[in-house]
Amino acid sequence: MRAIPSLLPVWALVAALLSGCGTQMVNPVSGKAERSVMDERAELAEGKKAHAEVLKEYGVYPDQKLQAYVNSVGQKLASQSHRASIPWTFTVLDSPEINAFALPGGYVYITRGILAYMESEADMAGVIGHEIGHVTARHGAQRATRQQNAGLGVLAATVLGAVLESQAGVSGSTEMLGQMAQGVAAGYVAKYGREQELQADQLGAEYLARSQYDPRNMIDVIRVLKLQESYAQDEARAAGRSAPERDNWLSSHPSNDQRLQAISNNAARYQGRYADDGTRRFQQAIAGMRFGESPEQGLTRGPDFYHPSMGFALTAPAGWRIQNNAEALDIVHPEGDAALRLMTVPPQAGGTHDEVLRKAFKVGQGQVTRGTVNGFAATHFNGTVQGAKGQAQAAEFTLITGPKQTTYAMLYLAANATARQRAMAGLMATEKSFRPLTAADAQAARPWQIRLLPFPRGGYAELARQSAVPARQLQLINGSYGRADPPLGQTVKTVVAQ
């Protein structure tokens, strides 16, 4: 979680709201005229505006050499695209998510999270080339046009209203008391359609071939990311729970066998002798890169959560899951039907607990209990608050003013009364574990990073003895999960505490 809750930019909806009836544009890829609510000038302007919001939301990964490397590969691909004349911007985001996406106007993003699972420069180029394809074919502008045609102006206003509400008080506080996690990508109302994804695949393969990368690397990328799903399913099965829905590059890009076959058939069209896949260059570029969460976002280590930059720690009950999102921290019951949600309260929401109760939560009838949690002033409320439409809504939460005089809201969330009763002991235990970061906590909260080593004779079991993650996860990041081990001495990735 970050210090202040926020939502991703709603660039597509904003464009639909601000544009007029649209004009005829020639699609750079198809050469055909199409009605669009964004001409190229508007596309560039909207992309630039949204770019600032994306950087604010995710943060730029602070490694200039890695940024320059990714940008050089991106610019190489973009120069061979159908829109080589527009300015292109390629950014590595400081996020552990397995993701990549693009905005209109030539803004392409790839997370350090997805880079950790790539094997070569050509793999990375496959991901970037796909996203360039979305921009060159103007898929973002097409989506904005469809949204306007579908009459989504009211929906757009609702989403924008939520953004404004989050900036004025506790983000969505009155709306999410009866809900579980809400994704930060609220602005991305609709995913790309199947035809758009297939076209981006085709364009990506074309740009790879033009740039002397083997288009078959796009197949490798999909297969590597499918291993992510297999791993998540196996881990969930071993823990006796259902596999979580993954919000990543693969989940937003259809991964069925038919699509893999289409990619294979498309790649086979390109015959030629390609340069090396850049494995060594790529490995050198990601050596030392952060792996997993960062101190700025908070770090999960088993049942413990540490936030070094905000100065606090807490512990989840046995069996509960820690879900660290940009806008909040959720400690989720094993059944998935109850959680303690921790959020920061913006300073403008009130200088005292009473003011926050009145202004941000608009409390009505209920019981207010004053106390402390590990030395921090705490106010617990159990009663009703005023909902978005003025209705009384049941709510229970605790306000705690923690380190650096930051106030947090701990929301007790449950699907129903039975789930709430079953989870209550765990909710209270988690709340009571909130504490200032100790020296021992700080030691445990050292961030992880990628290190390169030759594959040892003892295999992943030996590698795991000096790694921060288990052997199965090491297999995953090296593309060996469910497959044969790499040859002895081959350079592989491991994860160590920084």
Side-chain angles (χ1 to χ4, degrees):
M1 63 176 291
R2 300 183 188 276
I4 300 295
S6 56
L7 294 172
L8 276 178
V10 287
W11 59 267
L13 300 180
V14 173
L17 284 172
L18 298 183
S19 299
C21 296
T23 57
Q24 290 293 319
M25 294 285 299
V26 175
N27 189 288
V29 172
S30 68
K32 298 179 180 179
E34 59 187 24
R35 194 187 74 81
S36 177
V37 297
M38 280 196 285
D39 58 19
E40 185 170 284
R41 181 178 178 182
E43 188 180 353
L44 294 173
E46 289 298 329
K48 183 177 181 180
K49 184 163 54 178
H51 175 63
E53 295 299 320
V54 170
L55 299 188
K56 181 180 178 181
E57 172 69 24
Y58 283 100
V60 177
Y61 181 58
D63 183 331
Q64 293 184 358
K65 288 185 178 180
L66 181 61
Q67 293 286 353
Y69 170 69
V70 171
N71 181 66
S72 68
V73 173
Q75 296 294 347
K76 179 180 177 180
L77 291 162
S79 69
Q80 300 299 321
S81 76
H82 292 81
R83 302 182 73 183
S85 61
I86 68 171
W88 288 87
T89 301
F90 299 89
T91 307
V92 181
L93 300 176
D94 189 11
S95 170
E97 296 174 9
I98 314 299
N99 217 346
F101 59 95
L103 296 178
Y107 294 89
V108 176
Y109 309 90
I110 190 166
T111 63
R112 60 175 173 80
I114 200 172
L115 291 178
Y117 293 90
M118 300 290 98
E119 293 297 309
S120 67
E121 181 176 292
D123 285 352
M124 180 182 74
V127 174
I128 294 175
H130 176 100
E131 297 305 330
I132 289 175
H134 280 309
V135 177
T136 58
R138 305 190 78 246
H139 289 162
Q142 290 172 355
R143 186 168 64 182
T145 302
R146 285 199 306 273
Q147 287 168 342
Q148 187 188 66
N149 290 344
L152 291 185
V154 174
L155 177 59
T158 301
V159 175
L160 289 171
V163 174
L164 295 175
E165 179 186 356
S166 73
Q167 295 169 348
V170 179
S171 177
S173 59
T174 57
E175 291 296 330
M176 76 174 60
L177 287 170
Q179 302 175 12
M180 296 303 291
Q182 293 181 359
V184 296
Y188 294 85
V189 174
K191 298 181 185 298
Y192 290 119
R194 173 177 170 77
E195 294 305 315
Q196 289 179 322
E197 293 295 356
L198 290 174
Q199 185 180 32
D201 284 339
Q202 293 167 358
L203 291 171
E206 181 179 344
Y207 302 154
L208 258 65
R210 290 182 183 181
S211 305
Q212 295 302 301
Y213 295 112
D214 191 337
R216 287 176 295 184
N217 281 94
M218 295 195 70
I219 303 171
D220 295 336
V221 170
I222 299 299
R223 286 177 175 162
V224 165
L225 293 174
K226 280 179 73 68
L227 291 180
Q228 285 273 333
E229 290 189 337
S230 297
Y231 177 82
Q233 290 167 358
D234 291 345
E235 291 290 292
R237 193 177 299 114
R241 52 180 170 80
S242 58
E245 293 185 7
R246 302 186 67 83
D247 183 18
N248 58 27
W249 194 82
L250 185 59
S251 67
S252 61
H253 297 67
S255 58
N256 54 44
D257 293 337
Q258 186 177 359
R259 181 177 178 227
L260 275 175
Q261 187 61 51
I263 293 173
S264 300
N265 293 341
N266 189 53
R269 295 168 45 206
Y270 298 92
Q271 302 295 330
R273 300 179 62 182
Y274 299 102
D276 74 279
D277 63 4
T279 295
R280 184 171 178 80
R281 289 191 301 273
F282 180 78
Q283 289 176 336
Q284 291 174 339
I286 67 168
M289 184 181 70
R290 276 183 186 165
F291 182 84
E293 298 161 314
S294 70
E296 293 77 19
Q297 299 158 344
L299 301 159
T300 303
R301 299 290 184 261
D304 295 302
F305 179 81
Y306 308 105
H307 208 307
S309 64
M310 300 177 77
F312 75 83
L314 57 76
T315 301
W320 289 50
R321 301 192 308 277
I322 298 175
Q323 294 179 183
N324 184 20
N325 306 305
E327 80 280 15
L329 175 72
D330 291 328
I331 312 299
V332 185
H333 188 273
E335 296 295 327
D337 55 6
L340 183 77
R341 165 164 286 200
L342 175 70
M343 306 180 69
T344 54
V345 177
Q348 61 267 36
T352 66
H353 288 187
D354 285 342
E355 193 175 1
V356 172
L357 291 175
R358 186 176 66 255
K359 289 177 56 178
F361 286 93
K362 300 178 182 178
V363 299
Q365 296 296 318
Q367 182 178 2
V368 177
T369 306
R370 315 286 182 179
T372 61
V373 173
N374 292 316
F376 296 124
T379 301
H380 185 81
F381 177 82
N382 187 4
T384 62
V385 298
Q386 182 179 325
K389 298 179 180 179
Q391 77 279 18
Q393 186 172 337
E396 184 171 5
F397 57 89
T398 300
L399 301 177
I400 298 178
T401 299
K404 304 180 181 180
Q405 292 301 300
T406 300
T407 297
Y408 300 88
M410 293 189 179
L411 311 176
Y412 288 36
L413 305 178
N416 51 54
T418 301
R420 174 188 174 86
Q421 183 177 4
R422 183 177 58 230
M424 185 54 68
L427 295 172
M428 295 175 64
T430 304
E431 178 182 305
K432 291 178 181 177
S433 75
F434 184 90
R435 61 190 182 273
L437 207 67
T438 66
D441 288 337
Q443 179 68 12
R446 287 182 298 160
W448 295 341
Q449 63 184 158
I450 296 289
R451 178 178 292 176
L452 304 179
L453 291 174
F455 192 69
R457 191 172 301 276
Y460 284 108
E462 179 180 337
L463 204 61
R465 284 196 286 271
Q466 51 184 316
S467 171
V469 300
R472 287 162 60 87
Q473 195 168 0
L474 290 176
Q475 291 174 321
L476 183 64
I477 68 173
N478 285 290
S480 299
Y481 187 73
R483 298 180 174 182
D485 288 352
L488 184 67
Q490 177 177 305
T491 300
V492 294
K493 293 170 282 189
T494 187
V495 179
V496 297
Q498 192 168 328

